[in-house]
Amino acid sequence: MASHRRPKQPSRTRVTVLTATAAAAVALSSQAAQADPQPSKKDVKSEVDKLYEQAEQATEKYNGVKAQQDKLQKEVDGLQGQVARGQGELNELRKGIGAVASGQYRSGSLDPSVQLFLSGDPDTFLERAATLDQLSGKQAEQLRTIADKQRRLAQQRAEAAGKIQDLADTRKALGEKKDEIKGKLAKAQELLNTLTAKERAAMEAEENSRASRGNERTDLGNDVPASQRGAAALAAAQAKIGSPYVWGATGPSSFDCSGLTSWAYAQAGQSLPRTSQEQANAGSRISSQSGLKPGDLVLFYGDLHHIGLYAGNGTVLHAPKPGANVRYESINNMPFMFGVRV
């Protein structure tokens, strides 16, 4: 007769392992359920737009530092030129005194005043000159001129040294701003790379829908420019529709926002400061959109980091942002601050 044996019970160790495995599986399933989903096209676009705006803010700061660097470089070059010319004049003056000393030495009567000068301390000489009976009026004037020239050269050298240090600090700040801009743009590109080709195409189509890319597709109305200068600046900018936005660029083939406006007005014979914030003070302010005329500058955002040219009928012509070209766009697509008539 077959025996009926009870089934073998699982060991305590095996039960523990099975329980732990089941718990881990449940935990992983829960984590997967709670994990953030892949960012949507809308989320990516929002973040990319934010990064582009931050990059443009940094670009205008970069432009300001770059303009300061250029100014300092000119000042340093000018001071160094003055020092070089002054040193040459000083050398000629010393030659004159040296000729006097040589003549006196050959005659056996080296003037004490000249001896003292040749010791390398003309300032001390001038303090004691009144006590030297042998000093002639001409020699006194020569030595006084040399001493004055030495003092001026010392001042110019000190000023140049200070400007050179300022220039070094400015270059460092410029490099930091450049790295910040590149970092923002690289992060934006990483986000764009997470989208599918179809999603990127849809985003580009949405971006293009914000703007008209040619004169024939944009109704600028019948507004008349307030001046020939404004009209000429707007015409110059219109000739650049389709040119790419490149941070730090001032034309003629690529632009950032303030680069376009400054280039356009330069074609009209008017020099503008480099940054949007400085250009905001380049003329008379116009507080309302209704007061704008074609060719007026238009400032956007609270910190005034973006600028364009009013084109008429509620339309602005500008270099929008990285990845976009110079184009017309509704003035209402950005937070309007005020206009400026140059």
Side-chain angles (χ1 to χ4, degrees):
M1 185 172 78
S3 62
H4 297 279
R5 285 184 286 184
R6 299 177 59 188
K8 187 177 180 180
Q9 297 295 320
S11 68
R12 182 181 299 274
T13 301
R14 187 181 177 199
V15 169
T16 302
V17 170
L18 289 171
T19 302
T21 302
V26 170
L28 287 172
S29 299
S30 176
Q31 289 176 4
Q34 295 176 4
D36 291 335
Q38 187 76 4
S40 67
K41 178 174 73 72
K42 182 178 179 181
D43 293 335
V44 169
K45 184 180 186 309
S46 176
E47 186 62 25
V48 167
D49 286 345
K50 185 189 301 182
L51 287 166
Y52 280 162
E53 184 178 342
Q54 291 171 354
E56 192 177 27
Q57 288 174 316
T59 292
E60 287 305 295
K61 291 178 182 177
Y62 169 91
N63 291 338
V65 176
K66 181 69 167 59
Q68 179 65 15
Q69 175 188 265
D70 294 344
K71 179 183 176 184
L72 282 170
Q73 186 65 64
K74 288 180 181 178
E75 291 175 353
V76 167
D77 292 344
L79 284 168
Q80 289 178 330
Q82 290 177 23
V83 168
R85 289 190 297 273
Q87 186 63 56
E89 293 169 1
L90 182 59
N91 292 341
E92 289 300 315
L93 289 169
R94 282 173 169 165
K95 283 181 184 178
I97 289 294
V100 172
S102 297
Q104 291 181 351
Y105 179 79
R106 284 193 297 271
S107 66
S109 57
L110 187 61
D111 194 312
S113 66
V114 178
Q115 292 181 39
L116 189 56
F117 169 74
L118 294 176
S119 72
D121 192 4
D123 282 340
T124 301
F125 162 77
L126 290 174
E127 293 172 4
R128 297 172 54 189
T131 65
L132 298 174
D133 297 336
Q134 299 92 336
L135 183 66
S136 72
K138 182 177 180 181
Q139 289 171 339
E141 184 62 30
Q142 287 176 317
L143 291 174
R144 189 172 289 106
T145 300
I146 289 173
D148 289 343
K149 179 68 71 175
Q150 285 178 321
R151 278 192 290 269
R152 284 198 300 273
L153 276 176
Q155 291 171 352
Q156 289 171 342
R157 285 193 177 102
E159 187 178 355
K163 294 288 185 184
I164 289 170
Q165 182 58 54
D166 291 343
L167 187 58
D169 294 341
T170 301
R171 283 175 175 158
K172 180 181 178 183
L174 199 63
E176 291 171 352
K177 279 298 165 196
K178 184 181 292 187
D179 290 342
E180 180 182 352
I181 295 165
K182 288 182 175 180
K184 300 286 186 188
L185 297 180
K187 189 173 180 181
Q189 189 59 54
E190 287 177 9
L191 283 169
L192 290 172
N193 289 343
T194 65
L195 299 176
T196 65
K198 184 177 179 180
E199 287 173 328
R200 285 197 296 270
M203 184 182 293
E204 184 177 346
E206 182 181 345
E207 178 67 27
N208 291 342
S209 69
R210 290 167 56 95
S212 297
R213 296 196 168 190
N215 294 336
E216 72 282 358
R217 295 179 57 187
T218 304
D219 179 9
L220 300 179
N222 300 314
D223 293 344
V224 177
S227 68
Q228 290 185 342
R229 182 168 52 230
L234 179 59
Q238 287 170 329
K240 294 301 176 178
I241 290 174
S243 298
Y245 178 103
V246 175
W247 66 269
T250 57
S253 57
S254 59
F255 305 87
D256 61 23
C257 69
S258 57
L260 176 64
T261 51
S262 60
W263 178 88
Y265 264 93
Q267 309 317 300
Q270 178 66 46
S271 175
L272 290 184
R274 177 61 183 93
T275 68
S276 57
Q277 290 88 350
E278 291 173 314
Q279 291 178 21
N281 298 312
S284 56
R285 189 164 295 191
I286 303 161
S287 58
S288 67
Q289 292 185 25
S290 62
L292 294 172
K293 295 293 183 183
D296 289 342
L297 299 174
V298 189
L299 279 299
F300 298 95
Y301 299 97
D303 62 355
L304 309 180
H305 72 259
H306 190 71
I307 193 168
L309 289 160
Y310 187 67
N313 197 27
T315 301
V316 65
L317 177 59
H318 66 150
K321 60 185 178 181
N325 296 333
V326 174
R327 69 191 188 193
Y328 292 119
E329 190 165 340
S330 170
I331 197 171
N332 297 316
N333 284 351
M334 298 163 286
F336 168 82
M337 293 293 109
F338 54 83
V340 173
R341 185 159 299 151
V342 179

